[in-house]
Amino acid sequence: MSRTGIFTVSLDFELFWGVCDHKTLSNYGKSLLGARQAIPILLDTFKEYDIHVTWATVGFLFAANKDELNAHLPTVRPAYSDNTLDPYPRLAGIGQDEQNDPYHYANSLIKKIASYQGQELASHTFSHYYCLEPGQTREAFCSDLESALKIAKSYGFNLRSLVFPRNQYNADYLTACDEYGITAYRGNQSGWMYEARNKSGNTWYRRLARLVDAYIRISGNNTYDIYSVSHSVPVNVPASRLLRPVSNKLKYLEPLRLARIKSEMSAAARYGRLYHLWWHPHNFGSNTAENILFLRKILSHFRCLQQAYGMRSMHMSEVACEMRSLASRDASRQSDTVQSMRTASHG
């Protein structure tokens, strides 16, 4: 059967909760506010090109105010060995609501995202939970995920996809995800520099290799034959490429970065494979116009591939649904074949 390529986009929506262990509001607050301005532009751009997107959202951001946030706190919390990773002590110092504190709340933006067709709200855990850091446990992860799903449910959102914060993929937690109704997760892209690591294991040479790989082909094409990977639940919808923000220092290399992405997308379209692009909205919080222009070049390329090869835009839940449907059809065909063989042998 001829299969068309799939273009998937996922965004890690965190605001300050995703960077509070290594940045401050004084040195990064402007980019976070810029992200709030970039999100409506992103939504309109996705609508223009009919791009389906997964917005993996930190659960804290769903709260309309501090009382609501406190009411949904998990009963079991991680006891990280590195105290800078623990967001809970910071709760005492945040504002009362989104109007007074746009860095820690995003209820209005979440509702805006949900109002656009083809946009999937997903989980980035409740507290930007680190699944590989010393001091965290499976029990704490389950408690965190339960809080994330409950606060989303209170607004009528059923979250079905999950992105592990800092890409700290933990295979031991997939059964827990299944138990809580998560049907898809974003796995790490292929290549040694992208293997799941905790904070201490994310060494400078791994970061450097990832940076170089954005411009020069080190890790390969990073497209995936989703029809041959495991159909177990939750389904792995692996990452292909981080869409890094436009760099003023490396501006002369931007054509290489664009060509790298377009080449991978073309390969996925041509051979009926998956290409999964991801980034953070706050990556577009600075140099927003330049970043949107770069994105539009990618989406224009997708449109060409759509016309030439029938490439489709699907968010993570849609990919998982497609894979489960395909697996079910394959199982049915195999069963019919076996039955036909048995009938023939008895004939």
Side-chain angles (χ1 to χ4, degrees), residues 215-273:
Y215 301 92
I216 302 172
R217 183 173 174 175
I218 296 178
S219 64
N221 235 357
N222 291 296
T223 65
Y224 305 95
D225 179 7
I226 66 166
Y227 304 100
S228 65
V229 300
S230 172
H231 293 149
S232 60
V233 178
V235 168
N236 180 12
V237 186
S240 298
R241 178 73 49 209
L242 165 65
L243 179 59
R244 292 177 176 272
V246 170
S247 170
N248 292 326
K249 293 181 180 179
L250 299 175
K251 209 160 191 175
Y252 63 96
L253 293 177
E254 292 297 74
L256 279 179
R257 186 165 69 96
L258 180 61
R260 177 99 164 94
I261 293 172
K262 289 171 68 173
S263 173
E264 291 176 322
M265 291 176 64
S266 295
R270 199 172 292 120
Y271 300 110
R273 295 167 70 87

Side-chain angles (χ1 to χ4, degrees), residues 83-99:
N83 292 332
T84 64
L85 298 175
D86 189 353
Y88 290 100
R90 303 176 189 274
L91 293 178
I94 70 173
Q96 290 299 314
D97 54 34
E98 186 176 4
Q99 183 176 357

